[in-house]
């Protein structure tokens, strides 16, 4: 971030104020309003942060107009085709692609942390079997702060490192346990000779009574889904993690806060909602009815998996996933899957409809991921937990960046107060 010679002038009540301008390495210039309240006595108003940069960051860059997503400068489609998830985790966490030795060391560290404290098994058993796995995930990840006392001190860089590795390593185990618990099957321990994605499939789909061989094409597809969800700059759940940790709360509690935010259908919950919508549409002849509903201002229905705050072009992750969906369904011999037919037709119809063109609404990451996950055998309730476990590295990378930033201070937005001014209390009999 460099402060240029440029500045903006604000005229207010006969006074002028110079606002410095920062030029990022990519993206629009940023007005520095940090001293505005102290100097001019006014706040800025920006609900939903549509015009506000909440931090500076070097991790992820999105060009919404071009439909471009870069992690540490590397385009997402190159990472999805050439890299694998743990290498992308290393890149996000440490800023550069690892050497072979660095990667081996990192993979070993993650792999050695995949088991959860045995007593956590009892903790799971306290939940109802029909609990949504996201409810279980929020609770269990928050409870990690009660189990791993040696990595709670956020002022200690070593403890931060241990917490980061623990979270990345254990989230698949916890998500798989939430799934196994919900279907009444025994928990499956991680298998450290499998890679990250294959191990997750093993923990979800194997049972003690049978041999389970992970299909390498499916584990590659799983790995690609993990990569595509790994980070997405200052989205709602990442901002939640940053805000929660700005008070120096412990990392497990902060990631639990991020998981809670991700759960909503406008964010990570959209993948479940999208597949449910495709099932409700059911056949291509019903598409016009749902397109009409999405356009009707009096109908709260929205086309799930469409639209994005930042992308005003196709989400680059959706392009990769569309191709993955074709590959996975072909491998599984279900290429004529009716949901995929509905999805493709719906996408075409929406992309040619003036409403969606004018509002720049394109398919997002959630549009095709659900079809792949369902074909792999996951129930819809597991879609958002899979998003959460993939995004953990993004949350952790942003958290580490924030804690190490000397400018870090507690997040405390202001407000435009429109309530009553001071008035006297009225006794109950007089109201
Ligand atoms: N279907 C129909 N209309 C839509 C849709 C949609 N999916 N998305 C936005 N619009 C309309 C909206 O009604 C509004 O119209 P108008 O200007 O006439 O009031 C306009 O487009 C702008 O919408 P907005 O809600 O102001 O835009 P936003 O940037 O606040 O919301 C969004 C972004 C992703 C929440 C929204 O597009 C949406 O609800 N999409 C469906 C849910 C979804 O797929 N979410 C996943 C997002 S990507 C993964 C993730 O972040 O987790």
């Amino acid at each position: 971030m460099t402060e240029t010679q440029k500045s903006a002038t604000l005229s207010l009540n006969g006074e002028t104020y110079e606002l410095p301008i920062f030029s990022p390495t990519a993206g629009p210039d940023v007005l520095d309003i940090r001293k505005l309240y102290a100097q001019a006595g006014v706040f800025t108003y920006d609900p939903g942060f549509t015009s506000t940069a909440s931090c500076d960051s070097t991790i992820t860059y999105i060009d919404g107009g071009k439909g471009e997503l870069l992690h540490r400068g590397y385009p997402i489609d190159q990472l999805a085709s050439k890299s694998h998830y743990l290498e992308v985790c290393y890149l996000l966490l440490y800023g550069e692609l690892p050497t072979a030795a660095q990667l081996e060391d990192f993979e070993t560290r993650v792999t050695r942390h995949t088991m959860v404290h045995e007593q956590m098994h009892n903790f799971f058993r306290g939940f109802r079997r029909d609990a949504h796995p996201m409810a279980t995930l929020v609770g269990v990840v928050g409870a990690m702060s009660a189990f791993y006392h040696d990595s709670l001190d956020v002022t200690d860089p070593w403890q931060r490192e241990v917490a980061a590795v623990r979270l990345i390593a254990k989230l698949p185990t916890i998500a798989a346990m939430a799934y196994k618990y919900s279907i009444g099957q025994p928990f499956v321990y991680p298998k450290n000779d499998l890679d990250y994605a294959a191990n997750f499939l093993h923990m979800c789909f194997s049972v003690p009574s049978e041999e389970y061989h992970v299909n390498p094409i499916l584990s590659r597809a799983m790995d690609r889904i993990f990569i595509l969800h790994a980070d997405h700059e200052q989205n709602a759940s990442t901002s939640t993690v940053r805000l929660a940790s700005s008070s120096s709360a412990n990392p497990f509690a902060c990631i639990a806060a991020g998981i809670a935010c991700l759960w909503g259908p406008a964010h990570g919950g959209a993948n479940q909602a999208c597949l449910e919508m495709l099932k409700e549409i059911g056949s291509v002849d019903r598409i016009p009815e749902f397109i009409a509903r999405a356009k009707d201002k009096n109908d709260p229905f929205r086309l799930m998996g469409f639209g994005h705050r930042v992308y005003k072009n196709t989400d680059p992750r959706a392009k990769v996933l569309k191709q993955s969906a074709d590959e996975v369904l072909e491998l599984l011999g279900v290429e004529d899957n009716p949901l995929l037919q509905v999805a493709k037709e719906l996408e075409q119809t929406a992309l040619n409809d003036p409403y969606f063109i004018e509002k720049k609404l394109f398919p997002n990451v959630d549009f095709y991921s659900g079809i792949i996950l369902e074909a792999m055998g996951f129930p819809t309730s597991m879609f958002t937990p899979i998003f959460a476990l993939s995004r953990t590295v993004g949350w952790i990378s942003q958290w580490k960046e924030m804690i190490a930033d000397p400018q870090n201070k507690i997040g405390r937005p202001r407000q435009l107060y429109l309530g009553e001014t001071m008035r006297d209390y009225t006794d109950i009999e007089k109201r």
Side-chain angles (χ1 to χ4, degrees):
M1 180 174 73
T2 48
E3 194 176 330
T4 60
Q5 299 306 315
K6 287 191 280 180
S7 66
T9 307
L10 173 73
S11 302
L12 190 71
N13 301 330
E15 300 282 340
T16 57
Y17 303 93
E18 289 300 307
L19 302 176
I21 294 181
F22 290 115
S23 285
T25 49
D29 282 350
V30 173
L31 292 183
D32 179 358
I33 56 160
R34 280 175 296 177
K35 296 196 178 127
L36 186 64
Y37 176 55
Q39 291 174 347
V42 290
F43 300 143
T44 56
Y45 179 61
D46 186 19
F49 306 115
T50 52
S51 298
T52 298
S54 61
C55 61
D56 55 85
S57 180
T58 62
I59 302 173
T60 292
Y61 174 71
I62 302 171
D63 185 323
K66 287 193 204 149
E68 195 174 76
L69 167 61
L70 311 178
H71 292 318
R72 304 286 191 185
Y74 297 103
I76 190 66
D77 51 327
Q78 289 186 26
L79 294 173
S81 62
K82 297 185 179 176
S83 186
H84 63 274
Y85 183 68
L86 282 186
E87 186 177 65
V88 173
C89 289
Y90 186 100
L91 176 69
L92 289 168
L93 283 167
Y94 306 113
E96 294 295 339
L97 288 170
T99 62
Q102 287 168 331
L103 183 60
E104 191 187 341
D105 171 63
F106 178 66
E107 289 184 339
T108 306
R109 282 191 288 138
V110 171
T111 307
R112 295 243 167 96
H113 279 91
T114 48
M115 288 203 319
V116 295
H117 193 293
E118 196 63 14
Q119 210 172 320
M120 280 189 124
H121 291 218
N122 303 333
F123 196 84
F124 270 89
R125 294 198 169 91
F127 288 98
R128 279 172 57 139
R129 294 259 179 205
D130 59 357
H132 194 288
M134 281 300 276
T136 313
L137 216 57
V138 174
V140 174
V141 172
M144 284 175 79
S145 31
F147 286 88
Y148 301 105
H149 295 153
D150 57 349
S151 48
L152 297 180
D153 180 0
V154 297
T155 63
D156 177 348
W158 172 247
Q159 294 200 32
R160 296 205 293 268
E161 185 63 28
V162 175
V165 169
R166 276 194 172 131
L167 279 157
I168 293 163
K170 293 186 202 309
L171 252 291
T173 313
I174 293 171
M177 287 171 80
Y179 172 53
K180 285 297 196 188
Y181 185 74
S182 73
I183 55 171
Q185 287 188 3
F187 298 135
V188 175
Y189 286 95
K191 227 172 163 221
N192 287 352
D193 58 345
L194 296 173
D195 66 37
Y196 193 86
N199 181 43
F200 179 62
L201 293 175
H202 157 78
M203 290 189 291
C204 288
F205 296 125
S206 72
V207 287
S209 45
E210 276 175 22
E211 275 299 305
Y212 176 79
H213 297 289
V214 183
N215 183 319
I217 297 181
L218 291 187
S219 65
R220 178 72 193 125
M222 189 79 258
D223 192 79
R224 198 174 276 177
I225 286 180
F226 290 164
I227 293 175
L228 294 173
H229 291 85
D231 190 47
H232 215 225
E233 55 119 304
Q234 310 312 320
N235 55 81
S237 57
T238 302
S239 300
T240 301
V241 171
R242 280 188 179 258
L243 191 57
S245 41
S246 75
S247 70
S248 299
N250 80 69
F252 305 108
C254 296
I255 299 301
I259 296 172
C261 176
L262 185 79
W263 194 357
H267 193 4
N271 53 13
Q272 172 171 352
C274 180
L275 198 88
E276 284 163 0
M277 175 193 79
L278 293 175
K279 284 184 176 166
E280 198 189 340
I281 298 174
S283 58
V284 290
D285 55 300
R286 294 194 65 206
I287 288 174
E289 178 194 327
F290 283 81
I291 292 276
R293 284 187 60 195
K295 293 177 352 186
D296 182 354
K297 283 279 151 258
N298 300 317
D299 189 330
F301 174 77
R302 283 188 168 200
L303 219 51
M304 300 314 285
F306 255 78
H308 199 274
R309 169 64 59 79
V310 183
Y311 292 119
K312 301 303 167 199
N313 203 324
T314 298
D315 180 338
R317 303 167 300 173
K319 281 189 195 156
V320 180
L321 280 172
K322 187 176 183 179
Q323 192 194 339
S324 250
D326 282 328
E327 284 167 14
V328 169
L329 297 188
E330 191 186 331
L331 169 82
L332 297 170
V334 285
E335 59 269 50
D336 55 352
N337 177 307
L339 291 183
L340 187 64
Q341 309 304 330
V342 172
K344 285 187 171 172
E345 190 62 34
L346 182 64
E347 180 184 356
Q348 274 320 306
T349 312
L351 290 178
N352 290 309
D353 188 294
Y355 173 94
F356 290 87
I357 295 170
E358 187 203 311
K359 295 190 188 304
K360 298 191 167 73
L361 299 170
F362 292 87
N364 60 47
V365 70
D366 294 316
F367 195 66
Y368 282 105
S369 62
I371 294 172
I372 304 175
L373 292 172
E374 186 176 75
M376 284 173 145
F378 288 105
T380 48
S381 61
M382 276 303 285
F383 294 0
T384 317
I386 289 170
F387 193 158
L389 84 86
S390 322
R391 181 56 58 84
T392 296
V393 68
W395 293 328
I396 286 286
S397 305
Q398 304 267 352
W399 166 77
K400 280 183 75 190
E401 180 178 70
M402 186 184 120
I403 301 276
D405 183 351
Q407 295 192 74
N408 177 25
K409 52 164 73 176
I410 189 163
R412 195 351 182 144
R414 306 304 291 252
Q415 63 174 6
L416 167 63
Y417 178 68
L418 298 175
E420 298 287 348
T421 51
M422 194 196 286
R423 51 183 171 164
D424 287 328
Y425 180 84
T426 318
D427 291 331
I428 196 159
E429 61 277 8
K430 293 195 184 138
R431 287 176 219 160

